[in-house]
Amino acid sequence: MKKQWWHDKVAYQIYPKSFCDSNGDGIGDLQGIISKLDYLKELGVDIIWLSPIYVSPLADQGYDIADYYDIDPRFGTLDDMDELIAEAKKREMYIVMDLVVNHCSDEHVWFQKACEDPDGPYGKFFYIETVKEGEKLPCNWRSYFGGPVWEKLPGHNDKYYLHVFHKKQPDLNWENPELREEVYKMINWWLDRGLAGFRIDAIINIKKALPFKDYPADREDGLSGMQNMLHDAVGVGDFLGELRDRTFLPHDAFTVGEVFNEKPEELPDFIGENGYFSTMFDFAETVFGASQKGWHRSLDITPDDYRNCVFSTQKKVEGVGFISNIIENHDEPRGVSRYIPDGDQCYESKTLLATMYFMVKGLPWIYQGQEIGMENRKVRSIDEVDDIASLNAYKVSVADGVSEQDALDAISKFGRDNARTPMQWDDSENAGFTTGTPWLCVNENYTWLNLKAQRGRSGSVYEYYRKLTSLRKNPEYKQTIVYGQLEPTLEEMHNVMAYYRRGEDQTLLVMGNYQKEPQTLPLPGKVKKVLLDNCEDLQIRDTDRSIRLKGYQAVVLELENDPGE
Ligand code: GLC
Ligand code: CA
């Protein structure tokens, strides 16, 4: 694999609205982020991805962009953005923005012009179809946020536009070369400003299976989930290759794709040598157990399932490309609430999970608050919910006949607000996030679960994350951790996750006892050094051929080179 500047880095995702509010309006902002750069440096972060901060009505929290060339005043100004890029540079950090170009906002001037003149040049920036009174819609696809993907074009009784997400997010028509030119111009404008690259939103959706047609309905509403059309859509690569060549490649930009539903044979095109993107996220565990019928029908994921998902991706990408590893993001519940069995959330289990995903091959991403072990927040009433996906999921559950309480429980478990509650900096009011009223409730556990309580305290989740980032950067082990081959082991054992990382002259063994009861695991050879141990009490004798791990104990061991004797 050709080495790239970003391979040995640690990446961090900021959800700006909930990170740090500098002016007391209850909304996090760019000056707030700038004030925390030294903190992120201390944590060992190099690359920072900001969820969208462009001008937006925030119908989908900024994933609905009304002006790609400016910052929403709630987040700051272009000057603040330039300052952030410059301040990051000073600290040898890189800023990555969110690139949302499958759709824009219905408040974008392109869409407004399309409404004025659907047959004019801007009408062709979107998918607009004529549907006369009494005729059926062009297709029965269900939007990701519920309901049909077609909405009446404002001002026109016989015209509909396509939105695969919310109706305030009209899809851009990538088949139109003029639209593509506008997108490239905008990307280059940002890259010329000093941005390191982009996280690329929902990108698989830019290719539609055309002409529009119905698929078999999969719920009572008569609609069909988007996966059917995505399966049939061929040729996304033509768009993505052009996008790369016209923007990212000439800038040597770093890009990470949000790619669901890629076709397996296309993986090398996506992240192989000269792929469309530098890397993409592994969502194998994210989507595990998901049901087309709603969140209330989704399956739990067990430790063995989690391990199998991670390893299946590792096998898939070995020799192909460099994957990006996460346990959570702004669309997912908190990783410690999802991947640790209910009731077992504690320092040991949180750091075990951290060790497991951080030490596999790929680029590790930390989502804000993950480094202190932030957890899901229990939703008590639907009125507390902001997220449009959760509001829709609630309706879907109730329509499927489950009780209100069960519908709420599904939101508590899977809702996107879980990761969007304000960052818990300290135990002062509103967790130190704002002096005003936070736009979304703070998780009540901030009184004990906050950064201040953990920083500088050994035995805290935060200090453990710092150990992980510094191990990744340790010149003695870096090559093996970044490039060493990953080889799963003890896969037949229950509630165990273990793997080798084999470097040129070095073998590391990562082992975790993924349950609360202790467990004894076989050792393949002599241990040279214990590099990490979340319980800090491992004693290994020369003669040992097994180790006893406490509940949720995780260790990173360096093995003697000659395990033969
Ligand atoms: C991506 C984003 C999500 C957003 C959607 C539409 O999945 O991560 O937050 O709602 O795209 O832009
Ligand atoms: Ca603010």
Side-chain angles (χ1 to χ4, degrees):
M1 182 182 303
K2 205 168 136 224
K3 296 191 173 168
Q4 303 290 349
W5 66 266
W6 51 271
H7 281 164
D8 60 0
K9 301 288 183 265
V10 171
Y12 190 92
Q13 180 189 357
I14 290 183
Y15 195 67
K17 203 175 180 189
S18 305
F19 188 60
C20 178
D21 174 21
S22 71
N23 63 353
D25 65 356
I27 295 178
D29 45 54
L30 290 176
Q31 285 302 330
I33 297 174
I34 293 169
S35 75
K36 298 296 184 187
L37 285 176
D38 288 329
Y39 161 68
L40 294 173
K41 188 76 196 173
E42 168 190 298
L43 174 57
V45 169
D46 310 289
I47 298 174
I48 302 171
W49 151 32
L50 307 184
S51 277
I53 46 168
Y54 311 87
V55 176
S56 164
L58 305 189
D60 186 20
Q61 300 304 357
Y63 285 91
D64 48 322
I65 297 172
D67 182 357
Y68 288 98
Y69 290 93
D70 209 349
I71 304 296
D72 194 281
R74 284 166 283 200
F75 296 126
T77 63
L78 269 180
D79 284 343
D80 293 330
M81 190 61 198
D82 289 340
E83 188 184 330
L84 173 62
I85 294 172
E87 287 299 319
K89 249 187 204 135
K90 271 190 210 161
R91 295 166 175 82
E92 291 177 78
M93 294 161 103
Y94 306 83
I95 301 292
V96 167
M97 282 174 95
D98 220 303
L99 183 66
V100 188
V101 288
N102 173 69
H103 44 268
C104 60
S105 162
D106 65 341
E107 297 183 30
H108 194 288
V109 53
W110 295 339
F111 190 73
Q112 286 163 354
K113 287 188 175 163
C115 293
E116 278 161 29
D117 179 12
D119 300 318
Y122 290 99
K124 300 192 175 61
F125 273 33
F126 300 92
Y127 294 95
I128 297 176
E129 297 283 321
T130 304
V131 182
K132 297 248 157 52
E133 182 104 35
E135 285 178 2
K136 66 185 270 310
L137 295 172
C139 64
N140 71 338
W141 309 347
R142 181 187 304 107
S143 83
Y144 290 105
F145 296 140
V149 292
W150 296 99
E151 183 73 19
K152 210 168 251 184
L153 191 70
H156 303 268
N157 264 331
D158 62 345
K159 292 203 188 311
Y160 285 73
Y161 68 92
L162 177 85
H163 61 91
V164 306
F165 289 92
H166 193 258
K167 65 176 184 222
K168 283 186 72 64
Q169 295 168 302
D171 278 59
L172 293 166
N173 183 354
W174 275 71
E175 305 290 340
N176 178 357
E178 280 172 42
L179 176 270
R180 300 205 300 272
E181 285 306 319
E182 282 292 341
V183 170
Y184 304 155
K185 193 172 92 188
M186 177 273 290
I187 296 174
N188 288 326
W189 185 84
W190 278 109
L191 290 173
D192 290 339
R193 256 189 136 81
L195 212 63
F198 291 97
R199 174 267 187 180
I200 300 164
D201 184 71
I203 196 67
I204 205 80
N205 297 284
I206 63 173
K207 186 76 195 184
K208 273 63 180 182
L210 297 174
F212 295 115
K213 67 164 196 192
D214 284 358
Y215 291 96
D218 50 33
R219 282 187 210 156
E220 300 284 286
D221 60 7
L223 303 176
S224 153
M226 287 288 297
Q227 73 284 355
N228 291 322
M229 105 73 182
L230 289 176
H231 178 266
D232 276 3
V234 273
V236 71
D238 297 338
F239 293 155
L240 296 180
E242 185 182 274
L243 169 65
R244 171 199 58 208
D245 295 344
R246 296 287 308 282
T247 60
F248 311 142
L249 202 61
H251 284 92
D252 193 21
F254 164 82
T255 52
V256 52
E258 187 204 25
V259 185
F260 290 97
N261 296 80
E262 89 280 4
K263 305 187 168 68
E265 68 277 9
E266 285 176 349
L267 194 62
D269 301 337
F270 276 78
I271 56 166
E273 203 109 322
N274 195 33
Y276 308 136
F277 308 127
S278 313
T279 175
M280 61 194 229
F281 290 111
D282 174 24
F283 291 125
E285 30 319 299
T286 312
V287 300
F288 179 91
S291 160
Q292 282 303 322
K293 304 246 182 244
W295 289 355
H296 58 287
R297 296 214 193 190
S298 297
L299 303 178
D300 282 344
I301 177 165
T302 67
D304 291 350
D305 298 326
Y306 176 82
R307 169 194 64 192
N308 297 344
C309 286
V310 173
F311 288 165
S312 75
T313 298
Q314 290 286 324
K315 284 174 195 156
K316 213 168 73 177
V317 300
E318 181 59 43
V320 175
F322 213 79
I323 197 81
S324 274
N325 298 308
I326 58 167
I327 60 166
E328 65 200 45
N329 66 26
H330 67 293
D331 291 331
E332 297 301 325
R334 290 289 180 175
V336 296
S337 299
R338 172 135 160 86
Y339 303 120
I340 298 168
D342 265 351
D344 279 5
Q345 284 69 19
C346 60
Y347 164 79
E348 288 79 9
S349 60
K350 289 176 179 182
T351 49
L352 169 133
L353 185 61
T355 312
M356 291 303 135
Y357 100 99
F358 212 91
M359 293 299 297
V360 292
K361 198 166 179 173
L363 180 66
W365 290 76
I366 301 171
Y367 176 75
Q368 69 183 40
Q370 179 188 323
E371 73 273 30
I372 56 170
M374 279 179 66
E375 300 174 0
N376 283 354
R377 175 179 179 278
K378 188 144 190 70
V379 178
R380 289 177 188 84
S381 140
I382 192 67
D383 302 331
E384 289 172 6
V385 177
D386 169 85
D387 163 37
I388 50 181
S390 299
L391 293 171
N392 175 58
Y394 182 78
K395 282 196 226 150
V396 171
S397 301
V398 171
D400 197 28
V402 312
S403 72
E404 220 174 294
Q405 189 54 51
D406 288 350
L408 283 179
D409 288 349
I411 295 178
S412 295
K413 214 161 163 182
F414 297 109
R416 304 198 298 180
D417 285 344
N418 279 312
R420 298 177 182 186
T421 61
M423 173 70 187
Q424 293 165 205
W425 296 104
D426 58 39
D427 59 0
S428 69
E429 206 183 345
N430 303 319
F433 159 70
T434 181
T435 53
T437 307
W439 72 277
L440 185 68
C441 338
V442 173
N443 192 318
E444 293 76 4
N445 65 14
Y446 78 93
T447 50
W448 60 270
L449 202 172
N450 61 67
L451 175 69
K452 192 167 155 242
Q454 298 188 16
R455 203 172 186 177
R457 190 172 65 76
S458 81
S460 70
V461 176
Y462 174 67
E463 292 302 336
Y464 190 82
Y465 266 93
R466 289 189 58 205
K467 285 187 189 166
L468 279 169
T469 61
S470 54
L471 179 59
R472 185 173 175 86
K473 286 157 199 259
N474 182 335
E476 235 183 288
Y477 299 105
K478 189 165 146 168
Q479 285 303 313
T480 305
I481 293 173
V482 176
Y483 296 108
Q485 209 194 321
L486 181 134
E487 189 188 310
T489 181
L490 306 180
E491 283 180 279
E492 68 291 349
M493 288 189 76
H494 178 50
N495 290 347
V496 168
M497 183 159 174
Y499 50 89
Y500 296 100
R501 299 297 315 275
R502 296 194 191 276
E504 277 172 24
D505 303 302
Q506 204 172 48
T507 301
L508 307 184
L509 176 58
V510 181
M511 293 179 130
N513 175 25
Y514 209 150
Q515 62 179 19
K516 63 171 176 274
E517 299 73 26
Q519 192 165 193
T520 301
L521 311 188
L523 269 182
K526 279 192 193 161
V527 173
K528 188 166 163 194
K529 203 166 164 193
V530 178
L531 305 185
L532 267 184
D533 169 10
N534 66 345
C535 294
E536 295 200 7
D537 74 338
L538 203 64
Q539 283 144 25
I540 296 174
R541 293 160 313 199
D542 262 5
T543 50
D544 284 353
R545 280 294 183 266
S546 64
I547 57 173
R548 181 139 182 97
L549 296 181
K550 292 189 180 168
Y552 292 110
Q553 188 166 13
V555 294
V556 179
L557 309 173
E558 182 185 3
L559 298 183
E560 288 288 1
N561 268 337
D562 180 17
E565 37 148 341

